[in-house]
Amino acid sequence: VLWHKKFPMLIMTRGGSKTFMLAVYALLRALLHQGSKIVVMGAGFRQAKHVFRYIEELCDASPLLQEAIGHDGGVKWGSDTVSIKIGTSTIRGLPIGDGSKVRGERATHLLADEFASIPESIFDHAVAPFTSVGLDPAAKANMMTFVERLRTMGASESLLQSIEASFGIGNQIVYSGSACHVGNHFGKRYGVAKMIIQSGGDRE
């Protein structure tokens, strides 16, 4: 689910290894999709640090990751940021604060851990726009034009879908956290997603 969906949700109990899963996913995405810009955020900078502690442990235990990191030195800890470079990909952990310090950041993959604790207004106005610009907008536009041309020529939908899939899912936001009350913004987003899935694509 994490690999193929644009807006996946990880809703699990406390102690269900959500943070560890995000660390594994971030490393795999950075390693296998070179050029990725992955940002990890939580309600506090402490939550992003938890993800990076797992990333550091995984890198220390993996000769393959150590080779990919090369001379970049692994996880780099700062007072208000933490990061690691894997080839041409980067993974960064940022503090959300009031949103003012993170405006203008860009990401191909945004991992929001403990989403229920992140203020909704700050996330929607300062954080979510991270993913508004694609890694290669020109290539994406050319691909869409190519697919539309094939569609006018009568190409099958299965062929068109396979072509689109080969270009990846585009920018992604991963919502992760423990279950909360339905009035919380995480609960509301879950309700909307569930309704869309259960509709089976029926617009009405």
Side-chain angles (χ1 to χ4, degrees), residues 36-117:
S36 295
K37 296 180 180 180
I38 302 165
V39 170
V40 182
M41 298 193 98
F45 188 37
R46 177 171 167 270
Q47 195 61 40
K49 287 181 177 179
H50 284 323
V51 176
F52 271 84
R53 287 192 184 97
Y54 283 124
I55 287 175
E56 196 166 45
E57 289 177 11
L58 289 165
C59 288
D60 289 344
S62 171
L64 177 63
L65 286 172
Q66 292 169 19
E67 184 177 342
I69 294 168
H71 300 292
D72 290 316
V75 176
K76 296 180 180 178
W77 299 91
S79 59
D80 60 354
T81 184
V82 56
S83 64
I84 185 172
K85 188 172 183 180
I86 301 176
T88 59
S89 297
T90 57
I91 309 172
R92 297 181 65 201
L94 299 173
I96 190 169
D98 61 0
S100 61
K101 292 185 177 180
V102 297
R103 291 183 184 276
E105 293 285 345
R106 291 291 177 262
T108 56
H109 301 82
L110 175 60
L111 314 184
D113 200 11
E114 296 300 341
F115 181 68
S117 299

Side-chain angles (χ1 to χ4, degrees), residues 153-168:
M153 296 170 65
S156 67
E157 282 300 317
S158 61
L159 173 62
L160 299 179
Q161 289 174 6
S162 65
I163 293 173
E164 289 178 325
S166 69
F167 282 84

Side-chain angles (χ1 to χ4, degrees), residues 10-30:
L10 284 179
I11 304 176
M12 302 168 67
T13 182
R14 296 195 181 281
S17 299
K18 299 182 299 296
T19 303
F20 179 75
M21 288 174 65
L22 290 179
V24 172
Y25 174 66
L27 282 170
L28 286 174
R29 180 65 76 175

Side-chain angles (χ1 to χ4, degrees), residues 17 58 90 93 102 108 120 123-124 131 136 159 170 180 196 203:
S17 299
L58 289 165
T90 57
V102 297
T108 56
E120 183 178 21
F123 183 84
D124 287 341
T131 61
D136 191 343
L159 173 62
C180 59
I196 293 172
R203 293 181 178 273

